[in-house]
Amino acid sequence: MGTQPSGSLAVLQERYGQRYRWLLLLSVMVGTMASIMSSTIVNVAIPDMSHYFTLGQERAQWVTSGFMVATTVSMLTTPWLLARYGYRATYVGAMLILLLGGVGGGLAQNFGLVLLARVAEGLAAGVVQPIPAVIILYAFQPHEQGRASGIFGMGVVLAPAIGPSIGGLLVDWFGWRSIFFMVVPLCLASIWLAYRFVPMTAPGGVPANRSGEGLDWRGLLLGTVGTLCLLNGLVSLHGGTGAEAGVLLLVAVGAFFGFIAWQKRMASLGKKPLMDLRLFQFRQFAMGSIVAFIYGTALFGSTYLLPVFMQLGLELTPSHVGTLMLPAGIVLAITIAWVGRLADSHPTHVLVSAGLALLAASFALMLLIGLQSTLWMLIAFAILGRIGLGFILPSLNLGAMRSLDKALISQGSSAIGFVRMLGGAAGVSLCGIVLEWRIAAHGASLSLGPSNPQRIAAFGETFLMLAALCLIAMVAAWQLREKPAAGPKSAN
């Protein structure tokens, strides 16, 4: 404490008292809002960006997929970064990278630089996003964790709820470049808050160990190769040759098995692996990871698909798309705050299952939307889906991670985030593949121009695929229920 008079956890707790944990949560919430906004806001601009750079559907989706790959892989590094550099240095470093990515993307003159900026933003987002769950499980009592998750979730979803509305107007008024600059004020605010409230110490209040073990670069390389080959293999299933897809998917499978084997070897040698596989010995965490993967596929796939459907299927402008999505975003924020309180007193497996059912229903109902449909129908179905998300978001992490030992909390938050983002990265590619397949099957086209019933039917069938995935996830979600004889829960 004497060596860090203004930055240690103990000093900050003494200075701000009982309200400190809420100030800390607010600080990381602002940065997480910036990272999530950067992941979703670009979707509104994809058609205009595609037109500007004359991109096909496969290349355009890498604006989103490139971000997702970088986010997925960098999440694995968060526990190591927190232990070695502490909360503040890790958080501020990620915010600076996110800031540079936003400015760089807005100024880029070719598509390669746009992708590079998106990768930088993704790397920063991946490091930041596991941190709030670690703080909630360390800083808050079990009976407060649901409320903290709800309040945090409400704040976080307001950014992507309001973001597309503002982003759509910016695209119409100033062009697609303007949306990259939206993260700048949030990044600056998060850095200022970090120097006031985020401790320099590592999780648990222990000093950061700058001379600790090095990063497991071999494990990180295997994870990166596996993720990249998986996504490219999925795209090649439709846009490339069968041989190319088969080779890429085989390499992906080999890389993931190699990753698991290497993590086991690292643990057997007494070294810190990138992902501690002991996590999956906890039944609730293992089931929660399955839910997180499928949920990520449906969530991020639909986040990519819905704005494209509204613009290319229903012929709406970007500003209309953002405005139509705003009510659903506000309802999501309210739902999360309410369900967060429920998670403190109700079984999380029930809340997650109910959310998945509502999300599946919202996807399936998109089959009813056509060129002659009223806009209120589209808004109502979007709201239904966001209510479902509101049930899932505050409940899933708590249900999966409450059974973990405290020493595994940082690893657990990173691992479940990795699995969710891996599903999300696959989901964006999967939606692109299925959409192209169904477009071809209906003899339609995705090029800008008048829409038709065939194109809309292809979108509807893609939404139906997402609904089926949500129903499958409900089977695993039911396994999140706690068993009285499961043994001690030291995290509590």
Side-chain angles (χ1 to χ4, degrees), residues 267-279:
S268 68
L269 294 173
K271 297 182 179 180
K272 283 192 175 181
L274 200 62
M275 180 187 291
D276 196 325
L277 299 180
R278 290 179 298 166
L279 292 165

Side-chain angles (χ1 to χ4, degrees), residues 58-128:
E58 294 82 1
R59 289 189 69 203
Q61 78 179 38
W62 270 102
V63 173
T64 301
S65 296
F67 181 98
M68 303 293 285
V69 171
T71 303
T72 302
V73 173
S74 64
M75 274 186 176
L76 294 173
T77 68
T78 301
W80 179 81
L81 288 169
L82 291 177
R84 190 177 181 92
Y85 298 105
Y87 282 116
R88 184 184 295 178
T90 301
Y91 183 72
V92 170
M95 286 296 99
L96 287 172
I97 294 173
L98 185 63
L99 177 64
L100 292 173
V103 174
L107 298 177
Q109 295 300 314
N110 61 69
F111 184 63
L113 291 177
V114 171
L115 274 184
L116 182 63
R118 290 293 288 162
V119 169
E121 288 184 317
L123 291 172
V127 170
V128 167

Side-chain angles (χ1 to χ4, degrees), residues 186-277:
L186 286 174
C187 288
L188 294 175
S190 68
I191 292 170
W192 179 79
L193 287 168
Y195 279 103
R196 292 200 64 187
F197 303 118
V198 176
M200 298 172 69
T201 45
V206 300
N209 183 10
R210 297 290 177 100
S211 59
E213 289 186 28
L215 182 64
D216 177 13
W217 289 104
R218 188 175 298 182
L220 188 62
L221 178 62
L222 286 168
T224 303
V225 169
T227 304
L228 280 171
C229 288
L230 173 65
L231 292 182
N232 281 295
L234 287 172
V235 172
S236 296
L237 279 175
H238 181 64
T241 65
E244 178 187 9
V247 169
L248 287 169
L249 292 175
L250 281 174
V251 172
V253 171
F256 284 126
F257 275 109
F259 176 82
I260 293 170
W262 178 249
Q263 298 310 288
K264 288 181 177 179
R265 177 170 172 76
M266 288 283 287
S268 68
L269 294 173
K271 297 182 179 180
K272 283 192 175 181
L274 200 62
M275 180 187 291
D276 196 325
L277 299 180

Side-chain angles (χ1 to χ4, degrees), residues 135-222:
I135 288 174
I136 288 171
L137 289 170
Y138 266 110
F140 291 86
Q141 296 297 316
H143 67 277
E144 298 177 313
Q145 290 170 357
R147 183 158 64 103
S149 296
I151 292 173
F152 171 79
M154 179 180 68
V156 166
V157 301
L158 279 176
I162 298 170
S165 301
I166 301 173
L169 293 173
L170 289 175
V171 170
D172 283 346
W173 294 343
F174 304 110
W176 61 267
R177 294 181 183 279
S178 59
I179 52 121
F180 277 93
F181 295 106
M182 285 190 65
V183 299
V184 171
L186 286 174
C187 288
L188 294 175
S190 68
I191 292 170
W192 179 79
L193 287 168
Y195 279 103
R196 292 200 64 187
F197 303 118
V198 176
M200 298 172 69
T201 45
V206 300
N209 183 10
R210 297 290 177 100
S211 59
E213 289 186 28
L215 182 64
D216 177 13
W217 289 104
R218 188 175 298 182
L220 188 62
L221 178 62
L222 286 168

Side-chain angles (χ1 to χ4, degrees), residues 6 68 72 153 325 348 403 427-428 447 467:
S6 63
M68 303 293 285
T72 302
M325 294 174 70
T348 52
S403 63
V428 173
S447 58

Side-chain angles (χ1 to χ4, degrees), residues 174-472:
F174 304 110
W176 61 267
R177 294 181 183 279
S178 59
I179 52 121
F180 277 93
F181 295 106
M182 285 190 65
V183 299
V184 171
L186 286 174
C187 288
L188 294 175
S190 68
I191 292 170
W192 179 79
L193 287 168
Y195 279 103
R196 292 200 64 187
F197 303 118
V198 176
M200 298 172 69
T201 45
V206 300
N209 183 10
R210 297 290 177 100
S211 59
E213 289 186 28
L215 182 64
D216 177 13
W217 289 104
R218 188 175 298 182
L220 188 62
L221 178 62
L222 286 168
T224 303
V225 169
T227 304
L228 280 171
C229 288
L230 173 65
L231 292 182
N232 281 295
L234 287 172
V235 172
S236 296
L237 279 175
H238 181 64
T241 65
E244 178 187 9
V247 169
L248 287 169
L249 292 175
L250 281 174
V251 172
V253 171
F256 284 126
F257 275 109
F259 176 82
I260 293 170
W262 178 249
Q263 298 310 288
K264 288 181 177 179
R265 177 170 172 76
M266 288 283 287
S268 68
L269 294 173
K271 297 182 179 180
K272 283 192 175 181
L274 200 62
M275 180 187 291
D276 196 325
L277 299 180
R278 290 179 298 166
L279 292 165
F280 299 97
Q281 295 174 4
F282 295 82
R283 178 185 58 85
Q284 287 168 257
F285 186 85
M287 292 299 103
S289 297
I290 294 173
V291 176
F293 181 85
I294 301 176
Y295 161 70
T297 303
L299 172 62
F300 289 100
S302 66
T303 301
Y304 164 77
L305 187 64
L306 192 54
V308 176
F309 169 57
M310 290 182 181
Q311 291 179 71
L312 299 184
L314 302 181
E315 301 179 340
L316 299 174
T317 65
S319 57
H320 275 119
V321 171
T323 303
L324 288 173
M325 294 174 70
L326 179 59
I330 294 172
V331 170
L332 171 58
I334 296 170
T335 305
I336 284 179
W338 174 59
V339 174
R341 291 179 177 271
L342 290 181
D344 286 328
S345 56
H346 289 72
T348 52
H349 71 281
V350 174
L351 299 176
V352 174
S353 297
L356 287 167
L358 292 173
L359 193 59
S362 74
F363 290 146
L365 288 170
M366 286 295 173
L367 286 167
L368 303 178
I369 298 293
L371 285 171
Q372 305 305 316
S373 301
T374 56
L375 290 180
W376 72 262
M377 285 181 63
L378 186 61
I379 294 171
F381 297 161
I383 286 175
L384 182 65
R386 291 307 183 258
I387 292 174
L389 290 179
F391 272 81
I392 299 167
L393 287 171
S395 311
L396 180 55
N397 274 6
L398 291 179
M401 292 175 57
R402 270 179 173 163
S403 63
L404 297 179
D405 296 328
K406 278 211 167 183
L408 290 174
I409 285 175
S410 293
Q411 280 278 348
S413 180
S414 172
I416 203 164
F418 170 78
V419 171
R420 184 184 69 248
M421 294 302 294
L422 187 63
V428 173
S429 293
L430 185 62
C431 281
I433 293 164
V434 173
L435 179 60
E436 291 276 353
W437 167 43
R438 298 317 302 158
I439 285 283
H442 285 283
S445 170
L446 269 182
S447 58
L448 287 172
S451 187
N452 53 61
Q454 291 76 24
R455 183 190 294 181
I456 291 175
F459 274 104
E461 290 161 7
T462 309
F463 279 115
L464 194 61
M465 177 269 298
L466 294 176
L469 288 176
C470 290
L471 295 177
I472 293 171

